[in-house]
Amino acid sequence: MDNSGAKKTCCESVKDFFTSAKFLIYMGHALSTWGDRMWNFAVAVFLVELYGNSLLLTAVYGLVVAGSVLLLGAIIGDWVDRNPRLKVAQTSLLVQNSCVIVCGILLMVVFQFKEQLVELYNGWILTTCYILVITVANIANLASTATSITIQRDWVVVVAGQDSSKLADMNATVRIIDQLTNILAPMLVGQIMSFGSHFIGCGFISGWNLFSMCLEYTLLWKVYQKTPALAVKAGQKEQQQELKQLSSPKELENGQSPEESSQPLMNENSVVVDKPDSPKQQGLCHQVTEPLRTLKGGWVSYYNQNIFFAGMSLAFLYMTVLGFDCITTGYAYTQGLNGSVLSLLMGASAISGICGTVAFTWVRRKCGLIRTGFISGITQLSCLMLCVVSVFAPGSPFDLSVSPFKDLYTHLMGETTLPEADHILNGVLTVGNSTTDAPAAELPPLQSYMSVSLLFAGVIAARVGLWSFDLTVTQLIQENVIESERGVINGVQNSMNYLLDLLHFIMVILAPNPEAFGLLVIISVSFVAMGHIMYFGFAFKNLGNRLFLCCSPEQKEEMVESPSLPTTV
């Protein structure tokens, strides 16, 4: 009797978990992220293949995507704020997946009939197809941005309720899902394209997005039904009352525990940008300029947030070459690392990132949210010192006597340093339509690998602090921005991230040769340091000398945080 009762209770608990709104959000996010990662990886490969193994279309696509989010981030966020949650989530989901399906079909047509399209109207039909693919793919990315804002920055907060610990756990789980899909999804679609063809790859991605769209739509509807609070967007006064604290009532009775350093920074004196109530009643000029006013209002509102410097510190971390993108992997190839080694390093990076998300939840419980960001910043910077050391270590090609503009000048003059290869990407050599492992550059053993080994050791180790810091700033924004402005503030945050990301690509374009990579590493670490200095200023302004207090379990009850934090930064 007792055992059967316990078994029943256990089964019910498992059933309740798998049918809970929290688990359904995880499932929907996993499906959405899996499709995004497959598409983002595949579209770059498709564009390179279509344009004769040139990076031109890929570069144009990247520029269009970054520029669009930079310009429209605030407007997208404002649209998220103005409309009901379910309508926003469903609309962005449908637009995103429909655009990817259309792109997949277009690419299938181009791959199948490319020779015929080249001959029609001197290739203008083919050029039109390229423009359509980039345009529709950009719309899909904008819709993906809206989905990310509404689900990860709003729905998660509502589902977590007023439990700050639950919100932190949900944010960490979502980030772990991101890390896993970032590795596994490209591997899957890459194998499909390798053993099949690009045509089959396009068809698979289109079919996946059609299946995923239907399932995600159903999951969103179930989450919405299980969480009545999603149907209501509270009024201004209710929002401020709701956002006073995301911790349990027990913690409110006698001061704050250390984890309450995450308490909202927003209060009655915070600046809120008014939005026009009825633009239809205004003149035509007023309606035409409304997007510009929304854009301006969003950036002004972002600037006046108390978490402004925390958000800016996160954006500054995007101005770096110390990540696993095509730039760092391309440099690694020039230093003798092949594709198999790079794939192992990327796996290690993902594991390091997952450790960072797990560490975030533990450190936040022990030290509080704001202190967690400070500790994460110190950890990241300490690890990145290995990258600085690698610049001067044996085997480093760093040489200031070589002009950083040498390769840029060479390419502008129409020359190439690798005439035998059409394209090299992530340690893979592509010649014509065949793909083989690119031979590693001939380097003396051991000593010559010391520099690149230190570089990647620092990059991989720094992921622990990076992802923990990212989660810290994400939760600060979630907890301290009023509900009516969550969309627009997160939209501007995305724009800032893309702006600094664009600057780092421009920096590489200006100094593309391996001899100058050491200079890029030093600049990158400098920007990361500036970002964490801004966060330190934010943390010290809110906690003062208590930022450095020990947070052992014995001292938890003795520490009392200030219940009212500054209203301006």
Side-chain angles (χ1 to χ4, degrees), residues 271-293:
V271 179
V272 177
V273 178
D274 293 331
K275 301 174 183 175
D277 294 326
S278 55
K280 293 182 179 178
Q281 299 177 358
Q282 306 294 335
L284 178 62
C285 182
H286 185 278
Q287 295 184 40
V288 170
T289 58
E290 183 178 0
L292 295 177
R293 287 182 284 107

mmCIF file with all atom_site columns, all heavy atoms in Angstrom, residues 271-293:
data_model
loop_
_atom_site.group_PDB
_atom_site.id
_atom_site.type_symbol
_atom_site.label_atom_id
_atom_site.label_alt_id
_atom_site.label_comp_id
_atom_site.label_asym_id
_atom_site.label_entity_id
_atom_site.label_seq_id
_atom_site.pdbx_PDB_ins_code
_atom_site.Cartn_x
_atom_site.Cartn_y
_atom_site.Cartn_z
_atom_site.occupancy
_atom_site.B_iso_or_equiv
_atom_site.pdbx_formal_charge
_atom_site.auth_seq_id
_atom_site.auth_comp_id
_atom_site.auth_asym_id
_atom_site.auth_atom_id
_atom_site.pdbx_PDB_model_num
ATOM 1   N N   . VAL A 1 271 ? 12.884 56.619 -15.352 1.00 0.00 ? 271 VAL A N   1
ATOM 2   C CA  . VAL A 1 271 ? 12.395 57.332 -16.527 1.00 0.00 ? 271 VAL A CA  1
ATOM 3   C C   . VAL A 1 271 ? 11.682 56.370 -17.449 1.00 0.00 ? 271 VAL A C   1
ATOM 4   O O   . VAL A 1 271 ? 12.195 55.316 -17.788 1.00 0.00 ? 271 VAL A O   1
ATOM 5   C CB  . VAL A 1 271 ? 13.566 57.983 -17.290 1.00 0.00 ? 271 VAL A CB  1
ATOM 6   C CG1 . VAL A 1 271 ? 13.062 58.711 -18.525 1.00 0.00 ? 271 VAL A CG1 1
ATOM 7   C CG2 . VAL A 1 271 ? 14.291 58.942 -16.365 1.00 0.00 ? 271 VAL A CG2 1
ATOM 8   N N   . VAL A 1 272 ? 10.485 56.700 -17.841 1.00 0.00 ? 272 VAL A N   1
ATOM 9   C CA  . VAL A 1 272 ? 9.713  55.893 -18.776 1.00 0.00 ? 272 VAL A CA  1
ATOM 10  C C   . VAL A 1 272 ? 9.357  56.763 -19.970 1.00 0.00 ? 272 VAL A C   1
ATOM 11  O O   . VAL A 1 272 ? 8.832  57.870 -19.818 1.00 0.00 ? 272 VAL A O   1
ATOM 12  C CB  . VAL A 1 272 ? 8.423  55.350 -18.113 1.00 0.00 ? 272 VAL A CB  1
ATOM 13  C CG1 . VAL A 1 272 ? 7.606  54.579 -19.131 1.00 0.00 ? 272 VAL A CG1 1
ATOM 14  C CG2 . VAL A 1 272 ? 8.759  54.476 -16.922 1.00 0.00 ? 272 VAL A CG2 1
ATOM 15  N N   . VAL A 1 273 ? 9.650  56.278 -21.150 1.00 0.00 ? 273 VAL A N   1
ATOM 16  C CA  . VAL A 1 273 ? 9.371  57.040 -22.355 1.00 0.00 ? 273 VAL A CA  1
ATOM 17  C C   . VAL A 1 273 ? 7.916  56.832 -22.745 1.00 0.00 ? 273 VAL A C   1
ATOM 18  O O   . VAL A 1 273 ? 7.462  55.703 -22.926 1.00 0.00 ? 273 VAL A O   1
ATOM 19  C CB  . VAL A 1 273 ? 10.293 56.585 -23.505 1.00 0.00 ? 273 VAL A CB  1
ATOM 20  C CG1 . VAL A 1 273 ? 9.969  57.346 -24.770 1.00 0.00 ? 273 VAL A CG1 1
ATOM 21  C CG2 . VAL A 1 273 ? 11.734 56.798 -23.119 1.00 0.00 ? 273 VAL A CG2 1
ATOM 22  N N   . ASP A 1 274 ? 7.171  57.900 -22.829 1.00 0.00 ? 274 ASP A N   1
ATOM 23  C CA  . ASP A 1 274 ? 5.762  57.820 -23.198 1.00 0.00 ? 274 ASP A CA  1
ATOM 24  C C   . ASP A 1 274 ? 5.606  57.413 -24.644 1.00 0.00 ? 274 ASP A C   1
ATOM 25  O O   . ASP A 1 274 ? 6.394  57.775 -25.509 1.00 0.00 ? 274 ASP A O   1
ATOM 26  C CB  . ASP A 1 274 ? 5.077  59.179 -22.986 1.00 0.00 ? 274 ASP A CB  1
ATOM 27  C CG  . ASP A 1 274 ? 5.013  59.536 -21.509 1.00 0.00 ? 274 ASP A CG  1
ATOM 28  O OD1 . ASP A 1 274 ? 4.959  58.603 -20.688 1.00 0.00 ? 274 ASP A OD1 1
ATOM 29  O OD2 . ASP A 1 274 ? 5.033  60.745 -21.193 1.00 0.00 ? 274 ASP A OD2 1
ATOM 30  N N   . LYS A 1 275 ? 4.536  56.651 -24.923 1.00 0.00 ? 275 LYS A N   1
ATOM 31  C CA  . LYS A 1 275 ? 4.252  56.222 -26.275 1.00 0.00 ? 275 LYS A CA  1
ATOM 32  C C   . LYS A 1 275 ? 2.922  56.830 -26.693 1.00 0.00 ? 275 LYS A C   1
ATOM 33  O O   . LYS A 1 275 ? 1.989  56.903 -25.913 1.00 0.00 ? 275 LYS A O   1
ATOM 34  C CB  . LYS A 1 275 ? 4.164  54.685 -26.342 1.00 0.00 ? 275 LYS A CB  1
ATOM 35  C CG  . LYS A 1 275 ? 5.456  54.017 -25.896 1.00 0.00 ? 275 LYS A CG  1
ATOM 36  C CD  . LYS A 1 275 ? 5.286  52.514 -25.842 1.00 0.00 ? 275 LYS A CD  1
ATOM 37  C CE  . LYS A 1 275 ? 6.545  51.842 -25.318 1.00 0.00 ? 275 LYS A CE  1
ATOM 38  N NZ  . LYS A 1 275 ? 6.407  50.398 -25.143 1.00 0.00 ? 275 LYS A NZ  1
ATOM 39  N N   . PRO A 1 276 ? 2.789  57.258 -27.919 1.00 0.00 ? 276 PRO A N   1
ATOM 40  C CA  . PRO A 1 276 ? 1.555  57.852 -28.371 1.00 0.00 ? 276 PRO A CA  1
ATOM 41  C C   . PRO A 1 276 ? 0.412  56.865 -28.279 1.00 0.00 ? 276 PRO A C   1
ATOM 42  O O   . PRO A 1 276 ? 0.566  55.680 -28.598 1.00 0.00 ? 276 PRO A O   1
ATOM 43  C CB  . PRO A 1 276 ? 1.850  58.213 -29.833 1.00 0.00 ? 276 PRO A CB  1
ATOM 44  C CG  . PRO A 1 276 ? 3.018  57.390 -30.210 1.00 0.00 ? 276 PRO A CG  1
ATOM 45  C CD  . PRO A 1 276 ? 3.786  57.168 -28.971 1.00 0.00 ? 276 PRO A CD  1
ATOM 46  N N   . ASP A 1 277 ? -0.737 57.367 -27.812 1.00 0.00 ? 277 ASP A N   1
ATOM 47  C CA  . ASP A 1 277 ? -1.888 56.499 -27.619 1.00 0.00 ? 277 ASP A CA  1
ATOM 48  C C   . ASP A 1 277 ? -2.618 56.185 -28.917 1.00 0.00 ? 277 ASP A C   1
ATOM 49  O O   . ASP A 1 277 ? -3.031 55.065 -29.158 1.00 0.00 ? 277 ASP A O   1
ATOM 50  C CB  . ASP A 1 277 ? -2.876 57.155 -26.624 1.00 0.00 ? 277 ASP A CB  1
ATOM 51  C CG  . ASP A 1 277 ? -2.261 57.256 -25.242 1.00 0.00 ? 277 ASP A CG  1
ATOM 52  O OD1 . ASP A 1 277 ? -1.494 56.339 -24.894 1.00 0.00 ? 277 ASP A OD1 1
ATOM 53  O OD2 . ASP A 1 277 ? -2.558 58.229 -24.544 1.00 0.00 ? 277 ASP A OD2 1
ATOM 54  N N   . SER A 1 278 ? -2.810 57.148 -29.743 1.00 0.00 ? 278 SER A N   1
ATOM 55  C CA  . SER A 1 278 ? -3.594 56.931 -30.950 1.00 0.00 ? 278 SER A CA  1
ATOM 56  C C   . SER A 1 278 ? -2.945 57.622 -32.134 1.00 0.00 ? 278 SER A C   1
ATOM 57  O O   . SER A 1 278 ? -3.316 58.729 -32.506 1.00 0.00 ? 278 SER A O   1
ATOM 58  C CB  . SER A 1 278 ? -5.018 57.457 -30.752 1.00 0.00 ? 278 SER A CB  1
ATOM 59  O OG  . SER A 1 278 ? -4.975 58.817 -30.358 1.00 0.00 ? 278 SER A OG  1
ATOM 60  N N   . PRO A 1 279 ? -1.970 56.964 -32.785 1.00 0.00 ? 279 PRO A N   1
ATOM 61  C CA  . PRO A 1 279 ? -1.282 57.578 -33.917 1.00 0.00 ? 279 PRO A CA  1
ATOM 62  C C   . PRO A 1 279 ? -2.203 57.793 -35.099 1.00 0.00 ? 279 PRO A C   1
ATOM 63  O O   . PRO A 1 279 ? -1.912 58.593 -35.977 1.00 0.00 ? 279 PRO A O   1
ATOM 64  C CB  . PRO A 1 279 ? -0.182 56.555 -34.239 1.00 0.00 ? 279 PRO A CB  1
ATOM 65  C CG  . PRO A 1 279 ? -0.626 55.284 -33.623 1.00 0.00 ? 279 PRO A CG  1
ATOM 66  C CD  . PRO A 1 279 ? -1.433 55.649 -32.447 1.00 0.00 ? 279 PRO A CD  1
ATOM 67  N N   . LYS A 1 280 ? -3.320 57.063 -35.159 1.00 0.00 ? 280 LYS A N   1
ATOM 68  C CA  . LYS A 1 280 ? -4.238 57.217 -36.281 1.00 0.00 ? 280 LYS A CA  1
ATOM 69  C C   . LYS A 1 280 ? -4.849 58.605 -36.321 1.00 0.00 ? 280 LYS A C   1
ATOM 70  O O   . LYS A 1 280 ? -5.283 59.090 -37.372 1.00 0.00 ? 280 LYS A O   1
ATOM 71  C CB  . LYS A 1 280 ? -5.349 56.164 -36.198 1.00 0.00 ? 280 LYS A CB  1
ATOM 72  C CG  . LYS A 1 280 ? -4.835 54.740 -36.416 1.00 0.00 ? 280 LYS A CG  1
ATOM 73  C CD  . LYS A 1 280 ? -5.979 53.757 -36.377 1.00 0.00 ? 280 LYS A CD  1
ATOM 74  C CE  . LYS A 1 280 ? -5.477 52.327 -36.609 1.00 0.00 ? 280 LYS A CE  1
ATOM 75  N NZ  . LYS A 1 280 ? -6.564 51.343 -36.534 1.00 0.00 ? 280 LYS A NZ  1
ATOM 76  N N   . GLN A 1 281 ? -4.942 59.237 -35.144 1.00 0.00 ? 281 GLN A N   1
ATOM 77  C CA  . GLN A 1 281 ? -5.530 60.565 -35.081 1.00 0.00 ? 281 GLN A CA  1
ATOM 78  C C   . GLN A 1 281 ? -4.547 61.643 -35.506 1.00 0.00 ? 281 GLN A C   1
ATOM 79  O O   . GLN A 1 281 ? -4.916 62.792 -35.677 1.00 0.00 ? 281 GLN A O   1
ATOM 80  C CB  . GLN A 1 281 ? -6.025 60.833 -33.651 1.00 0.00 ? 281 GLN A CB  1
ATOM 81  C CG  . GLN A 1 281 ? -7.102 59.847 -33.191 1.00 0.00 ? 281 GLN A CG  1
ATOM 82  C CD  . GLN A 1 281 ? -7.519 60.096 -31.763 1.00 0.00 ? 281 GLN A CD  1
ATOM 83  O OE1 . GLN A 1 281 ? -6.986 60.982 -31.096 1.00 0.00 ? 281 GLN A OE1 1
ATOM 84  N NE2 . GLN A 1 281 ? -8.485 59.325 -31.279 1.00 0.00 ? 281 GLN A NE2 1
ATOM 85  N N   . GLN A 1 282 ? -3.276 61.295 -35.639 1.00 0.00 ? 282 GLN A N   1
ATOM 86  C CA  . GLN A 1 282 ? -2.263 62.266 -36.016 1.00 0.00 ? 282 GLN A CA  1
ATOM 87  C C   . GLN A 1 282 ? -2.198 62.388 -37.536 1.00 0.00 ? 282 GLN A C   1
ATOM 88  O O   . GLN A 1 282 ? -2.815 61.615 -38.273 1.00 0.00 ? 282 GLN A O   1
ATOM 89  C CB  . GLN A 1 282 ? -0.908 61.823 -35.464 1.00 0.00 ? 282 GLN A CB  1
ATOM 90  C CG  . GLN A 1 282 ? -0.899 61.558 -33.966 1.00 0.00 ? 282 GLN A CG  1
ATOM 91  C CD  . GLN A 1 282 ? -1.129 62.831 -33.158 1.00 0.00 ? 282 GLN A CD  1
ATOM 92  O OE1 . GLN A 1 282 ? -0.852 63.930 -33.626 1.00 0.00 ? 282 GLN A OE1 1
ATOM 93  N NE2 . GLN A 1 282 ? -1.652 62.675 -31.948 1.00 0.00 ? 282 GLN A NE2 1
ATOM 94  N N   . GLY A 1 283 ? -1.405 63.336 -38.008 1.00 0.00 ? 283 GLY A N   1
ATOM 95  C CA  . GLY A 1 283 ? -1.268 63.558 -39.444 1.00 0.00 ? 283 GLY A CA  1
ATOM 96  C C   . GLY A 1 283 ? -0.432 62.489 -40.112 1.00 0.00 ? 283 GLY A C   1
ATOM 97  O O   . GLY A 1 283 ? 0.169  61.636 -39.467 1.00 0.00 ? 283 GLY A O   1
ATOM 98  N N   . LEU A 1 284 ? -0.385 62.548 -41.435 1.00 0.00 ? 284 LEU A N   1
ATOM 99  C CA  . LEU A 1 284 ? 0.362  61.579 -42.212 1.00 0.00 ? 284 LEU A CA  1
ATOM 100 C C   . LEU A 1 284 ? 1.845  61.623 -41.874 1.00 0.00 ? 284 LEU A C   1
ATOM 101 O O   . LEU A 1 284 ? 2.495  60.585 -41.739 1.00 0.00 ? 284 LEU A O   1
ATOM 102 C CB  . LEU A 1 284 ? 0.164  61.852 -43.713 1.00 0.00 ? 284 LEU A CB  1
ATOM 103 C CG  . LEU A 1 284 ? 0.933  60.941 -44.668 1.00 0.00 ? 284 LEU A CG  1
ATOM 104 C CD1 . LEU A 1 284 ? 0.481  59.502 -44.501 1.00 0.00 ? 284 LEU A CD1 1
ATOM 105 C CD2 . LEU A 1 284 ? 0.715  61.402 -46.112 1.00 0.00 ? 284 LEU A CD2 1
ATOM 106 N N   . CYS A 1 285 ? 2.378  62.835 -41.714 1.00 0.00 ? 285 CYS A N   1
ATOM 107 C CA  . CYS A 1 285 ? 3.792  62.992 -41.386 1.00 0.00 ? 285 CYS A CA  1
ATOM 108 C C   . CYS A 1 285 ? 4.117  62.319 -40.054 1.00 0.00 ? 285 CYS A C   1
ATOM 109 O O   . CYS A 1 285 ? 5.155  61.678 -39.900 1.00 0.00 ? 285 CYS A O   1
ATOM 110 C CB  . CYS A 1 285 ? 4.152  64.479 -41.343 1.00 0.00 ? 285 CYS A CB  1
ATOM 111 S SG  . CYS A 1 285 ? 5.901  64.774 -41.012 1.00 0.00 ? 285 CYS A SG  1
ATOM 112 N N   . HIS A 1 286 ? 3.194  62.446 -39.101 1.00 0.00 ? 286 HIS A N   1
ATOM 113 C CA  . HIS A 1 286 ? 3.378  61.847 -37.782 1.00 0.00 ? 286 HIS A CA  1
ATOM 114 C C   . HIS A 1 286 ? 3.449  60.325 -37.898 1.00 0.00 ? 286 HIS A C   1
ATOM 115 O O   . HIS A 1 286 ? 4.277  59.670 -37.257 1.00 0.00 ? 286 HIS A O   1
ATOM 116 C CB  . HIS A 1 286 ? 2.225  62.257 -36.871 1.00 0.00 ? 286 HIS A CB  1
ATOM 117 C CG  . HIS A 1 286 ? 2.373  61.788 -35.450 1.00 0.00 ? 286 HIS A CG  1
ATOM 118 N ND1 . HIS A 1 286 ? 2.025  60.520 -35.052 1.00 0.00 ? 286 HIS A ND1 1
ATOM 119 C CD2 . HIS A 1 286 ? 2.844  62.424 -34.343 1.00 0.00 ? 286 HIS A CD2 1
ATOM 120 C CE1 . HIS A 1 286 ? 2.264  60.385 -33.756 1.00 0.00 ? 286 HIS A CE1 1
ATOM 121 N NE2 . HIS A 1 286 ? 2.762  61.520 -33.300 1.00 0.00 ? 286 HIS A NE2 1
ATOM 122 N N   . GLN A 1 287 ? 2.597  59.749 -38.723 1.00 0.00 ? 287 GLN A N   1
ATOM 123 C CA  . GLN A 1 287 ? 2.579  58.299 -38.891 1.00 0.00 ? 287 GLN A CA  1
ATOM 124 C C   . GLN A 1 287 ? 3.823  57.805 -39.612 1.00 0.00 ? 287 GLN A C   1
ATOM 125 O O   . GLN A 1 287 ? 4.356  56.747 -39.290 1.00 0.00 ? 287 GLN A O   1
ATOM 126 C CB  . GLN A 1 287 ? 1.326  57.880 -39.671 1.00 0.00 ? 287 GLN A CB  1
ATOM 127 C CG  . GLN A 1 287 ? 0.028  58.161 -38.923 1.00 0.00 ? 287 GLN A CG  1
ATOM 128 C CD  . GLN A 1 287 ? -1.183 57.648 -39.670 1.00 0.00 ? 287 GLN A CD  1
ATOM 129 O OE1 . GLN A 1 287 ? -1.141 56.578 -40.251 1.00 0.00 ? 287 GLN A OE1 1
ATOM 130 N NE2 . GLN A 1 287 ? -2.263 58.404 -39.656 1.00 0.00 ? 287 GLN A NE2 1
ATOM 131 N N   . VAL A 1 288 ? 4.282  58.575 -40.596 1.00 0.00 ? 288 VAL A N   1
ATOM 132 C CA  . VAL A 1 288 ? 5.459  58.174 -41.352 1.00 0.00 ? 288 VAL A CA  1
ATOM 133 C C   . VAL A 1 288 ? 6.705  58.173 -40.472 1.00 0.00 ? 288 VAL A C   1
ATOM 134 O O   . VAL A 1 288 ? 7.568  57.302 -40.586 1.00 0.00 ? 288 VAL A O   1
ATOM 135 C CB  . VAL A 1 288 ? 5.668  59.097 -42.573 1.00 0.00 ? 288 VAL A CB  1
ATOM 136 C CG1 . VAL A 1 288 ? 7.016  58.830 -43.225 1.00 0.00 ? 288 VAL A CG1 1
ATOM 137 C CG2 . VAL A 1 288 ? 4.547  58.908 -43.580 1.00 0.00 ? 288 VAL A CG2 1
ATOM 138 N N   . THR A 1 289 ? 6.788  59.153 -39.578 1.00 0.00 ? 289 THR A N   1
ATOM 139 C CA  . THR A 1 289 ? 7.983  59.273 -38.729 1.00 0.00 ? 289 THR A CA  1
ATOM 140 C C   . THR A 1 289 ? 7.871  58.482 -37.421 1.00 0.00 ? 289 THR A C   1
ATOM 141 O O   . THR A 1 289 ? 8.795  58.527 -36.609 1.00 0.00 ? 289 THR A O   1
ATOM 142 C CB  . THR A 1 289 ? 8.232  60.759 -38.387 1.00 0.00 ? 289 THR A CB  1
ATOM 143 O OG1 . THR A 1 289 ? 7.067  61.303 -37.725 1.00 0.00 ? 289 THR A OG1 1
ATOM 144 C CG2 . THR A 1 289 ? 8.525  61.563 -39.650 1.00 0.00 ? 289 THR A CG2 1
ATOM 145 N N   . GLU A 1 290 ? 6.763  57.778 -37.244 1.00 0.00 ? 290 GLU A N   1
ATOM 146 C CA  . GLU A 1 290 ? 6.580  57.034 -35.996 1.00 0.00 ? 290 GLU A CA  1
ATOM 147 C C   . GLU A 1 290 ? 7.693  56.003 -35.751 1.00 0.00 ? 290 GLU A C   1
ATOM 148 O O   . GLU A 1 290 ? 8.195  55.892 -34.621 1.00 0.00 ? 290 GLU A O   1
ATOM 149 C CB  . GLU A 1 290 ? 5.219  56.341 -35.967 1.00 0.00 ? 290 GLU A CB  1
ATOM 150 C CG  . GLU A 1 290 ? 4.963  55.625 -34.641 1.00 0.00 ? 290 GLU A CG  1
ATOM 151 C CD  . GLU A 1 290 ? 3.587  54.976 -34.584 1.00 0.00 ? 290 GLU A CD  1
ATOM 152 O OE1 . GLU A 1 290 ? 2.839  55.075 -35.576 1.00 0.00 ? 290 GLU A OE1 1
ATOM 153 O OE2 . GLU A 1 290 ? 3.283  54.369 -33.552 1.00 0.00 ? 290 GLU A OE2 1
ATOM 154 N N   . PRO A 1 291 ? 8.131  55.220 -36.764 1.00 0.00 ? 291 PRO A N   1
ATOM 155 C CA  . PRO A 1 291 ? 9.231  54.282 -36.509 1.00 0.00 ? 291 PRO A CA  1
ATOM 156 C C   . PRO A 1 291 ? 10.502 54.975 -36.017 1.00 0.00 ? 291 PRO A C   1
ATOM 157 O O   . PRO A 1 291 ? 11.208 54.439 -35.156 1.00 0.00 ? 291 PRO A O   1
ATOM 158 C CB  . PRO A 1 291 ? 9.455  53.625 -37.874 1.00 0.00 ? 291 PRO A CB  1
ATOM 159 C CG  . PRO A 1 291 ? 8.142  53.746 -38.578 1.00 0.00 ? 291 PRO A CG  1
ATOM 160 C CD  . PRO A 1 291 ? 7.585  55.059 -38.127 1.00 0.00 ? 291 PRO A CD  1
ATOM 161 N N   . LEU A 1 292 ? 10.789 56.170 -36.570 1.00 0.00 ? 292 LEU A N   1
ATOM 162 C CA  . LEU A 1 292 ? 11.982 56.892 -36.134 1.00 0.00 ? 292 LEU A CA  1
ATOM 163 C C   . LEU A 1 292 ? 11.842 57.343 -34.684 1.00 0.00 ? 292 LEU A C   1
ATOM 164 O O   . LEU A 1 292 ? 12.798 57.285 -33.906 1.00 0.00 ? 292 LEU A O   1
ATOM 165 C CB  . LEU A 1 292 ? 12.229 58.105 -37.038 1.00 0.00 ? 292 LEU A CB  1
ATOM 166 C CG  . LEU A 1 292 ? 12.579 57.785 -38.505 1.00 0.00 ? 292 LEU A CG  1
ATOM 167 C CD1 . LEU A 1 292 ? 12.713 59.086 -39.299 1.00 0.00 ? 292 LEU A CD1 1
ATOM 168 C CD2 . LEU A 1 292 ? 13.869 56.976 -38.580 1.00 0.00 ? 292 LEU A CD2 1
ATOM 169 N N   . ARG A 1 293 ? 10.638 57.784 -34.321 1.00 0.00 ? 293 ARG A N   1
ATOM 170 C CA  . ARG A 1 293 ? 10.414 58.199 -32.940 1.00 0.00 ? 293 ARG A CA  1
ATOM 171 C C   . ARG A 1 293 ? 10.465 57.002 -31.992 1.00 0.00 ? 293 ARG A C   1
ATOM 172 O O   . ARG A 1 293 ? 10.939 57.095 -30.860 1.00 0.00 ? 293 ARG A O   1
ATOM 173 C CB  . ARG A 1 293 ? 9.078  58.926 -32.814 1.00 0.00 ? 293 ARG A CB  1
ATOM 174 C CG  . ARG A 1 293 ? 9.116  60.331 -33.418 1.00 0.00 ? 293 ARG A CG  1
ATOM 175 C CD  . ARG A 1 293 ? 7.815  61.084 -33.246 1.00 0.00 ? 293 ARG A CD  1
ATOM 176 N NE  . ARG A 1 293 ? 6.809  60.599 -34.189 1.00 0.00 ? 293 ARG A NE  1
ATOM 177 C CZ  . ARG A 1 293 ? 5.767  59.844 -33.846 1.00 0.00 ? 293 ARG A CZ  1
ATOM 178 N NH1 . ARG A 1 293 ? 5.607  59.466 -32.592 1.00 0.00 ? 293 ARG A NH1 1
ATOM 179 N NH2 . ARG A 1 293 ? 4.896  59.447 -34.747 1.00 0.00 ? 293 ARG A NH2 1
#
